[in-house]
Amino acid sequence: MDSCSNNNDDCCDTSNSKAKLTKRALLLEYFTVSYNILECILSIFFGFLSGSIALIGFGLDSAVESISGGVLIWRLKYHGKVSAKEEERIEKKAITFVGYSFFVLGAYVFYESVNKLYHAEVAEPTIFGIIIAATSLIIMPILAYMKHSTGKKLELRSLIADSRQTIICSLLSLALLIGLGLNYKFGLWWADPVTALVIVGFIFKEGFLTLKEGKLCTC
């Protein structure tokens, strides 16, 4: 009886631990989506004010990432509560939408970047864009580590993959910071559209891998 009781206690401890980790995973994704939405709004707003296509492109990428994160939240909350067939159907639609969204937004940023380079359109230096990029560069690596650690403990591959996607966001933040910094500090107008073209490369890659792998949060 004692042995059974001990086994039950172990099962309860394991179950409680998994529940806490799942709750932590959800909180991390809620924070990610909320942060990406805020980042999207601020980046696009200040991007239009300053004429920075790099900042606008960064904001558009954040918009699609928030959709991707929303699907992962749905997966975490309702996994096992709906049929596997229904879950697969809904996720397949989301994957297709997110994948093609990357291409549409990437094409827009590419066109605007080339246009600005060709016509030598100068973006106004923006300290607000630099603050957005620097903040993201600090937060994203920490968030990626927490997601990866939680995903490993839960053996949840989707969360681990999402942690890698968060690292990509860090690289985008670094590229944006360099481009905006060069324009702000040295007046190198071409740094902004060139940085936007780098961001376009990341956006197209994300779209291609999302459709190819048939899953969200690929890298």
Side-chain angles (χ1 to χ4, degrees):
M1 290 292 292
D2 290 339
S3 176
C4 291
S5 178
N6 288 335
N7 286 336
N8 286 335
D9 287 342
D10 290 340
C11 288
C12 287
D13 290 341
T14 302
S15 179
N16 289 335
S17 177
K18 190 171 182 179
K20 288 180 181 178
L21 287 171
T22 302
K23 185 177 180 180
R24 183 193 299 174
L26 273 170
L27 288 174
L28 288 172
E29 287 305 318
Y30 279 129
F31 177 82
T32 300
V33 171
S34 300
Y35 182 84
N36 274 329
I37 291 173
L38 178 62
E39 187 176 72
C40 166
I41 294 170
L42 293 178
S43 296
I44 292 176
F45 177 74
F46 288 114
F48 274 117
L49 283 184
S50 63
S52 170
I53 188 60
L55 193 52
I56 291 172
F58 185 74
L60 291 175
D61 183 76
S62 297
V64 181
E65 293 299 341
S66 66
I67 297 172
S68 177
V71 175
L72 185 54
I73 288 173
W74 175 85
R75 185 190 298 161
L76 286 167
K77 285 187 72 174
Y78 295 103
H79 180 66
K81 296 181 181 179
V82 296
S83 68
K85 188 175 181 180
E86 178 68 7
E87 187 175 342
E88 184 180 347
R89 185 185 67 82
I90 294 174
E91 187 164 353
K92 193 171 182 180
K93 282 187 176 181
I95 288 168
T96 302
F97 175 77
V98 170
Y100 284 112
S101 293
F102 277 124
F103 284 111
V104 172
L105 298 180
Y108 165 76
V109 177
F110 177 80
Y111 170 79
E112 288 293 332
S113 302
V114 172
N115 189 54
K116 286 180 180 292
L117 279 172
Y118 181 77
H119 293 288
E121 294 182 22
V122 181
E124 291 293 323
T126 168
I127 188 64
F128 294 106
I130 291 174
I131 292 172
I132 291 170
T135 302
S136 182
L137 192 57
I138 294 170
I139 291 176
M140 288 301 163
I142 298 172
L143 192 58
Y145 172 79
M146 294 176 70
K147 286 182 182 180
H148 189 271
S149 175
T150 305
K152 279 283 189 182
K153 292 175 182 177
L154 280 173
E155 297 182 348
L156 194 61
R157 285 183 297 174
S158 58
L159 188 59
I160 295 172
D162 191 47
S163 73
R164 298 185 187 121
Q165 186 66 50
T166 305
I167 287 295
I168 289 180
C169 292
S170 301
L171 296 177
L172 283 175
S173 303
L174 178 60
L176 180 66
L177 184 61
I178 291 172
L180 296 181
L182 288 174
N183 187 28
Y184 184 84
K185 186 70 176 177
F186 302 106
L188 302 178
W189 67 270
W190 50 263
D192 186 85
V194 168
T195 299
L197 289 174
V198 173
I199 291 174
V200 165
F202 278 102
I203 292 175
F204 280 154
K205 182 182 178 182
E206 289 179 76
F208 175 75
L209 289 176
T210 297
L211 295 174
K212 181 184 176 183
E213 300 293 334
K215 61 184 178 182
L216 295 171
C217 305
T218 58
C219 65

